Amino acid sequence: MLHSRMLRYLDEVARCGSIRKAATRLNVASSAINRQILTLEEELGTPLFHRLPRKLLPTTAGEVLLDHVRQTLRGMERAQAQIGELRGLRRGEVSVAVMSGLAANLVALALPRFRQEHSRVALRVSLLSGPEILAAVVNGEADLGLGFDMPAEPRLRRATLAQAALGAVMSPYHPLAARSSLRLGDCLGYPLIIADRSMAIRPYLDAAFARAELMPEPALETNSIEVMRRAAAMDQGITFLTPFDILLERRQRELLYIPVAGLAEHRQSLVLVCRAKGVGAMAARMEEVLKAFFAEQP
């Protein structure tokens, strides 16, 4: 790519039609601009300007070069604006739509990393279902979407961040807490907190219990991951979630995750989506932060 100073010399000379006027506007010596243009014409082996008595006009070769020059200058301006955003020189907002089970962990653990770098950028987190997340990102209501097993959508770019199986989630003081693995039948002697039929988890649970020829009798059914977590942390209840649903609780030793043989064969994909085109610099940086965060998780 041509040196940025040379680009501006060429652009200004073409706009002014005069080396002297361009030199005045750029606050440089006319001889410096003229010397640069002559050197470039010598390197290219063709004149770039018709030198008329009172005006300089681009030659055909000059028009071709000026088109490149102006595209490059516009690209440089966009890049500088994005770098300014990344350095936190501008205020802005990044919106993330997530499934409810991921929200508390995301806000508590992943988003502070972004805030450390970009304290002037406001964050907005919305709790939505999988189809609602896809619609929000497509419509521009959210910059990024995060959820489990979201299908491909032609207008969105999709990245799988991690995969995890449902397992038994319980208090560290539960009678089964010392076990390294469980069978579904092991859980039936304790109060079960089960996702209701509106949640994506439920079909996997129903299929697993059917394969094991078991008929669970839930003590609690809910469409709230937060309720499932809190209920499992108390008394002797057991719920079924992925490790990503309880990242914060595991760190704080409030809950633990134990693999379950009947559930381990099906792994859920944690998916990040964004628009295929037109992702802003701040949203792109948030995407990097989320990818790095989940890549670090065991």
Side-chain angles (χ1 to χ4, degrees):
M1 185 181 73
L2 297 173
H3 192 279
S4 61
R5 184 179 300 172
M6 185 70 245
L7 299 181
R8 298 196 181 280
Y9 287 174
L10 287 169
D11 181 54
E12 200 61 47
V13 168
R15 293 181 186 279
C16 295
S18 163
I19 290 176
R20 181 180 57 80
K21 290 179 180 178
T24 299
R25 294 187 63 171
L26 294 171
N27 196 29
V28 296
S30 298
S31 58
I33 294 179
N34 189 51
R35 185 167 56 251
Q36 293 271 11
I37 292 175
L38 290 173
T39 300
L40 183 57
E41 289 178 327
E42 185 177 349
E43 290 178 1
L44 295 174
T46 185
L48 299 175
F49 293 96
H50 296 294
R51 287 166 170 77
L52 305 178
R54 295 188 177 183
K55 192 173 183 68
L56 269 67
L57 293 176
T59 63
T60 300
E63 292 285 3
V64 171
L65 185 60
L66 281 166
D67 182 64
H68 163 73
V69 165
R70 286 164 180 165
Q71 287 187 44
T72 303
L73 288 173
R74 286 194 295 269
M76 178 64 73
E77 289 172 358
R78 287 193 298 269
Q80 289 173 334
Q82 290 180 334
I83 290 169
E85 290 178 4
L86 289 172
R87 291 175 58 195
L89 298 179
R90 296 186 179 184
R91 296 184 183 276
E93 178 182 281
V94 176
S95 56
V96 186
V98 300
M99 288 186 176
S100 62
L102 298 165
N105 292 298
L106 190 71
V107 173
L109 300 176
L111 298 190
R113 297 188 181 193
F114 181 85
R115 292 285 299 160
Q116 287 173 1
E117 296 180 18
H118 309 292
S119 60
R120 300 177 67 187
V121 176
L123 300 177
R124 179 164 56 86
V125 177
S126 302
L127 308 187
L128 301 173
S129 67
E132 290 171 335
I133 290 172
L134 295 178
V137 179
V138 166
N139 296 333
E141 297 169 6
D143 297 306
L144 302 171
L146 187 67
F148 286 107
D149 296 336
M150 292 191 293
E153 159 48 69
R155 291 165 290 183
L156 300 180
R157 180 162 50 84
R158 183 177 184 273
T160 299
L161 301 188
Q163 291 187 323
L166 290 170
V169 170
M170 63 191 73
S171 163
Y173 307 104
H174 193 279
L176 299 179
R179 300 277 292 273
S180 60
S181 64
L182 294 169
R183 296 170 300 175
L184 281 171
D186 298 329
C187 304
L188 293 188
Y190 302 92
L192 298 183
I193 302 102
I194 303 288
D196 73 14
R197 297 187 185 281
S198 70
M199 300 190 70
I201 297 173
R202 183 58 179 263
Y204 303 129
L205 292 173
D206 288 345
F209 278 112
R211 285 193 301 270
E213 299 182 345
L214 297 172
M215 293 290 291
E217 295 183 2
L220 171 64
E221 291 188 61
T222 177
N223 66 349
S224 168
I225 298 290
E226 182 60 26
V227 170
M228 296 167 74
R229 286 191 291 238
R230 296 276 61 83
M234 301 171 64
D235 198 20
Q236 294 186 349
I238 296 176
T239 192
F240 300 97
L241 297 169
T242 74
F244 294 115
D245 293 313
I246 58 167
L247 286 174
L248 181 60
E249 290 79 8
R250 291 174 76 193
R251 289 192 183 189
Q252 296 175 339
R253 302 182 184 278
E254 294 178 359
L255 291 172
L256 54 82
Y257 168 93
I258 301 177
V260 176
L263 296 171
E265 60 193 56
H266 179 84
R267 301 180 71 80
Q268 290 186 278
S269 296
L270 181 62
V271 176
L272 180 71
V273 295
C274 63
R275 288 184 293 280
K277 295 181 180 180
V279 178
M282 288 295 99
R285 178 56 188 145
M286 174 65 79
E287 181 181 357
E288 293 174 4
V289 169
L290 292 175
K291 286 180 177 179
F293 173 76
F294 284 106
E296 295 168 5
Q297 305 311 311

